[in-house]
Amino acid sequence: MRLANVDKAPQSAGSPQVALAEAREKLWARAMALAPRDRLLMQTLLRDHLSVRQLALLLGENPGTVTRRIQRLSRRLNDPIVIALLEYPGDLRPEARQLAVEYLLHGASIARLCEIHQMKRREVTAIIDFAKGWLRARCARR
């Protein structure tokens, strides 16, 4: 009996290869919302398939630093609230979505958001708390 080559086997809609490709595409779509520097890092990792060592050489950074950045970005990109913010944007006011994305995905501090958007600290925290509550309500509806 001869086993078929997995690479040459047709890929059905429910196959693991198709599921993996779809997951990578969704991750890439979320990565497009990253800050330019972080987006470039994820692009070279996901699209150009460079190793961490190659990325470190390219960026002139320590491989451990690059690994930590990738891990941090991966955690942010796979955070349920970030996924909801980016995949279901119509349910949330644009200004609330923008602040939540900057805070949760870009890693901007509350102080920095206050400075950028000319808002008071309590206003920024109230909007971010509202966005987090929006996610809890959204998850409860499912």
Side-chain angles (χ1 to χ4, degrees), residues 2-60:
R2 192 173 162 170
L3 296 175
N5 187 341
V6 174
D7 293 333
K8 294 182 182 178
Q11 295 181 357
S12 64
S15 75
Q17 293 89 356
V18 171
L20 182 61
E22 288 173 357
R24 285 181 79 92
E25 285 305 311
K26 285 184 177 185
L27 181 63
W28 176 246
R30 291 192 303 269
M32 294 304 294
L34 288 168
R37 180 174 179 249
D38 294 333
R39 185 172 49 242
L40 181 61
L41 175 65
M42 294 306 287
Q43 176 184 357
T44 54
L45 182 71
L46 294 173
R47 298 286 181 168
D48 301 336
H49 306 290
L50 294 179
S51 70
V52 172
R53 281 192 179 173
Q54 291 169 323
L55 279 170
L57 284 172
L58 184 69
L59 298 171

Side-chain angles (χ1 to χ4, degrees), residues 14 22 42 66 87 95-96 105 109-110 112 114 121-122:
E22 288 173 357
M42 294 306 287
V66 173
E87 292 183 6
E95 54 277 355
L105 186 59
S109 68
I110 298 289
R112 179 76 177 127
C114 292
R121 183 176 187 87
R122 64 179 165 74

